[in-house]
């Protein structure tokens, strides 16, 4: 699964997104987005587009609608960043709720069109199949946003795109041995971040 960049025309932009905002917390990035910072939005997109897509596939059972969900979710982040309150929820929790609500709208659209052969209706998109798995997915995504770029890259490719270490090596051009050691270090660091987050912030969903 390869995600496309945001549709810049939807956001009234002409420049190409180039994520250069690194090492900044999600909540600070949202504040910058509220001030019209496109690079901050691009960084949030890089951090969270995959879990939004994966959540869309799980809830909607339609890869095309899941791609629409990614576009809509980050358009709403751009438009609604000023309403985000870090005292009420983390960015990951806020985006998860926004994503799920938008999935409900897309599911209604799906139900009013004729179903293709092999499609099955989704009886309850608000919870979705395996809702706890969805939340765990976002716990991982939030933790990934807080580790180094190299570590995040290998885990994103493995966790959200299902690539083997050899495939990650081929995709990135990094030697296989380096990918193996980087993955081991990344998993260790991810575990540490998730343990700290679990202590600091109780689950809100």
């Amino acid at each position: 699964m390869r995600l496309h960049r945001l549709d810049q025309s939807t956001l009234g932009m002409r420049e190409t997104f180039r994520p250069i905002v690194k090492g900044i917390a999600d909540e600070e990035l949202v504040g910058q987005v509220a001030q019209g910072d496109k690079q901050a939005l691009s960084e949030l997109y890089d951090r969270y587009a995959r879990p939004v897509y994966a959540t869309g596939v799980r809830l909607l059972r339609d890869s095309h609608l899941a791609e629409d969900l990614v576009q809509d979710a980050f358009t709403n982040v751009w438009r609604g960043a000023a309403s985000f309150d870090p005292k009420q929820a983390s960015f990951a929790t806020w985006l998860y709720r926004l994503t799920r609500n938008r999935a409900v709208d897309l599911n209604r659209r799906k139900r009013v069109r004729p179903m293709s052969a092999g499609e099955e209706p989704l009886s309850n998109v608000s919870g979705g199949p395996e809702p706890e798995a969805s939340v765990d997915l976002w716990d991982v995504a939030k933790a990934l946003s807080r580790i180094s770029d190299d570590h995040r890259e290998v885990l994103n490719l493995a966790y959200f795109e299902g690539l083997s270490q050899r495939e990650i090596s081929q995709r990135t051009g990094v030697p296989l041995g380096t990918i193996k050691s980087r993955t081991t270090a990344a998993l260790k660091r991810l575990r540490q971040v998730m343990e700290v987050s679990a202590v600091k912030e109780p689950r809100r969903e």
Side-chain angles (χ1 to χ4, degrees), residues 86-103:
K87 296 179 181 178
Q88 299 296 319
S90 67
F91 172 74
T93 298
W94 182 68
L95 180 59
Y96 175 69
R97 291 170 180 166
L98 185 158
T99 297
R100 194 174 61 184
N101 290 340
R102 184 55 183 150

Side-chain angles (χ1 to χ4, degrees), residues 101-118:
N101 290 340
R102 184 55 183 150
V104 172
D105 295 336
L106 290 173
N107 188 60
R108 292 195 187 106
R109 182 195 304 174
K110 177 183 177 182
R111 287 206 301 259
V112 299
R113 65 173 172 78
M115 294 181 65
S116 303

